[in-house]
Amino acid sequence: MTAEMDYAALAVFLFCFGLVTVMGFAAARWRRPKTLAHLDEWGLGGRQFGTWITWFLIGGDIYTAYTMIAVPALVYAVGAYGFFAVPYTIILYPFVFAVMPVLWKVARDNNYVTAADIVHGKYGSRSLELAVALTGVVATMPYIALQLIGMETIIHALGLQGELPLIIAFLILAFYTYSSGLRAPALIAFVKDTMLYIVVLAAVALIPMKLGGYGAVFRAADAAFAAKGSGGTLLNPSQFLPYASLALGSTLALFMYPHALTGIFASATANTIRKNAILLPAYSVLLALVALMGFMGHAAGLKLTNSNDVVPALFKILFPGWFAGFALAAIGIGALVPAAIMSIGAANLFTRNFWKAYIDRGVTPAGEAKVAKITSLAVKAGALLVILYLPTQFALDLQLLGGLWILQTFPAVIFGLYTGWFRAPALLAGWATGFLGGTWLAWLNNFKPLHTLHLGDISITIYSGLLALAANILIASLVSAAIRAVPAGKSTATQD
């Protein structure tokens, strides 16, 4: 992809970026908070966001800049297999409709801010709370790094070289998040998503017209995959199970991430969450349309060494400079919103489940907010250092592991909402089994997400995270059964 400077694109990009920067700082006064020196206000927006704000906030959180870059890139590289992100966001919302209002009520009634708070409240185990909190922080760091990779791709597409533009973008993001908390990404998400809908609708209408129609797009993609000898516009039968397992595993993992739960806990009512579960699939339509741009890359004759360049390249060669700048700004701002929410989610975890639990149990609400603000800066700085000093592949591998790891918190966070049968030591043993076993499977497969099981003459390939989760639940069940078999006076001694 050409990296020549396009001044019209750059001017539009800088205008849009400046606009959301002003909004980010102005958000501190939005909806008139009594004070931001309280974790509920800084980290959860006062728990008062209604249906539309929550819709933009969660949508901006799930459908990130990296999603808009990586999903078409995967479709460009491997074909239909890259569409697994579409069904997973569709089957996600019935889960959100049924489970998240229950989780929200527990958090609201007990003033919980994080999933680890809920686990500690349910089981009274500091060890299990620490495992859930540590997993949340570790899994979120590479996710933030991926947003910065998305931002870096956009900056280079504009013709800006070097690391200084990325550092400036990072500083702007860091300081308005510090100043305004969750209100900043919630307010900016309105602009970001409006821009993205305009960009995507223009792209799926105009790009095929320029390339000879959708028939020509699919024929070109088929020819490109046939020439390469791999991939295709349809799945082959051997891909059905891996595709479905990736979709299911991704569904169960997504709302275990602290940033996704932050959007849930910030909702005003349980019905707000249910309404969003009905409305959020509109983003899935958007995602499916974006994914098609991977096929359009082949029809446009792009020969890319980095698949992540497919969307920026399409806008640069097929649209006038000003609209390319608008599109790149939409994707770039799409990195700021989730990165801010992710850093807030990780900061909430550190404040409540590390600082308050182990360092200062008497910390005031204002003290909690101060610790969270400083932690959010540190988290983003850590992600920036990963991008600047470590190979990009390292962040990608860590993000894959992050999804596998966060999935192992599912039993501890969700099972306790419906049953008291499981015991804390059992859930901790299950978490350790899934966490370590899943990491080992990923390492065996050279950090690819799938693992092939050989059962006699039968071989099945499945998402490693689901295999680890199955082992997690099995161990948690066996150990719980063993603990419950011990007389009550002895079993309580196993709780910490």
Side-chain angles (χ1 to χ4, degrees):
M1 183 179 65
T2 177
E4 294 177 359
M5 185 81 75
D6 184 329
Y7 291 100
L10 182 61
V12 173
F13 179 88
L14 291 177
F15 173 79
C16 295
F17 205 82
L19 174 65
V20 299
T21 299
V22 172
M23 291 178 67
F25 285 105
R29 298 178 180 275
W30 182 42
R31 298 175 72 85
R32 298 181 181 177
K34 293 178 182 176
T35 174
L36 282 175
H38 193 293
L39 195 58
D40 261 17
E41 290 291 348
W42 183 85
L44 293 179
R47 300 181 191 256
Q48 59 174 324
F49 291 159
T51 301
W52 286 110
I53 297 174
T54 302
W55 188 75
F56 280 107
L57 184 66
I58 296 178
D61 185 21
I62 296 175
Y63 302 91
T64 68
Y66 195 74
T67 303
M68 298 301 169
I69 294 290
V71 172
L74 189 59
V75 172
Y76 175 81
V78 303
Y81 204 75
F83 279 88
F84 86 89
V86 178
Y88 112 62
T89 60
I90 293 171
I91 60 178
L92 170 69
Y93 296 116
F95 171 77
V96 172
F97 186 94
V99 177
M100 288 300 116
V102 181
L103 199 69
W104 173 89
K105 187 174 187 310
V106 173
R108 181 82 172 197
D109 291 348
N110 297 281
N111 197 32
Y112 295 150
V113 176
T114 68
D117 281 349
I118 291 174
V119 168
H120 181 253
K122 172 67 180 178
Y123 298 102
S125 167
R126 285 291 181 199
S127 301
L128 189 59
E129 174 197 17
L130 180 63
V132 171
L134 186 63
T135 306
V137 172
V138 171
T140 302
M141 289 287 287
Y143 219 150
I144 299 173
L146 288 192
Q147 304 314 310
L148 297 182
I149 290 175
M151 175 62 77
E152 189 177 42
T153 301
I154 295 304
I155 288 172
H156 289 168
L158 287 164
L160 298 173
Q161 301 302 316
E163 306 297 351
L164 185 60
L166 181 64
I167 294 173
I168 293 172
F170 156 79
L171 290 174
I172 292 171
L173 165 69
F175 287 120
Y176 72 58
T177 305
Y178 183 94
S179 169
S180 305
L182 193 63
R183 283 177 168 77
L187 187 59
I188 293 172
F190 283 100
V191 177
K192 169 247 182 185
D193 286 349
T194 301
M195 292 175 68
L196 272 181
Y197 272 99
I198 293 172
V199 167
V200 172
L201 291 176
V204 298
L206 298 180
I207 293 179
M209 288 176 62
K210 293 173 181 283
L211 299 176
Y214 272 100
V217 167
F218 282 99
R219 285 192 295 274
D222 264 332
F225 291 127
K228 191 168 65 171
S230 63
T233 53
L234 296 174
L235 292 176
N236 64 55
S238 67
Q239 293 177 313
F240 290 170
L241 182 59
Y243 183 91
S245 69
L246 272 173
L248 178 60
S250 301
T251 297
L252 298 178
L254 185 57
F255 271 84
M256 296 301 103
Y257 277 104
H259 54 275
L261 287 177
T262 296
I264 293 295
F265 293 161
S267 302
T269 68
N271 274 336
T272 298
I273 299 168
R274 294 189 186 96
K275 289 177 183 175
N276 267 279
I278 296 170
L279 297 172
L280 278 167
Y283 280 99
S284 300
V285 176
L286 182 78
L287 181 61
L289 296 175
V290 169
L292 284 173
M293 295 175 73
F295 290 154
M296 296 174 193
H298 290 295
L302 298 178
K303 303 298 180 187
L304 302 172
T305 55
N306 184 348
S307 299
N308 285 341
D309 290 332
V310 64
V311 170
L314 280 172
F315 281 107
K316 287 198 71 174
I317 66 172
L318 295 175
F319 287 91
W322 68 268
F323 191 80
F326 182 81
L328 296 177
I331 299 172
I333 295 168
L336 300 181
V337 172
I341 304 171
M342 289 169 191
S343 69
I344 290 170
N348 289 345
L349 274 171
F350 178 83
T351 303
R352 293 299 290 260
N353 309 114
F354 294 95
W355 189 269
K356 187 172 184 178
Y358 295 101
I359 298 175
D360 184 2
R361 294 195 177 190
V363 63
T364 64
E368 285 186 326
K370 185 175 181 181
V371 172
K373 287 180 176 182
I374 295 171
T375 305
S376 76
L377 291 178
V379 167
K380 287 190 280 287
L384 179 65
L385 291 175
V386 168
I387 300 303
L388 294 182
Y389 295 109
L390 294 176
T392 301
Q393 187 60 43
F394 182 73
L396 295 171
D397 291 342
L398 276 183
Q399 203 276 335
L400 166 66
L401 283 173
L404 185 154
W405 290 336
I406 202 70
L407 185 55
Q408 307 316 312
T409 65
F410 186 92
V413 176
I414 300 300
F415 287 3
L417 298 177
Y418 300 99
T419 176
W421 188 83
F422 288 92
R423 294 292 183 258
L427 290 167
L428 187 62
W431 168 84
T433 302
F435 191 97
L436 298 175
T439 305
W440 176 67
L441 280 182
W443 179 77
L444 279 182
N445 293 290
N446 197 26
F447 296 101
K448 298 291 188 295
L450 301 171
H451 180 74
T452 300
L453 292 174
H454 300 284
L455 308 172
D457 295 333
I458 301 174
S459 296
I460 58 172
T461 301
I462 193 169
Y463 175 42
S464 300
L466 276 187
L467 290 174
L469 179 63
N472 180 343
I473 295 172
L474 176 63
I475 294 299
S477 301
L478 291 175
V479 177
S480 287
I483 293 173
R484 292 174 67 85
V486 176
K490 294 182 179 179
S491 66
T492 54
T494 62
Q495 301 281 340
D496 58 7

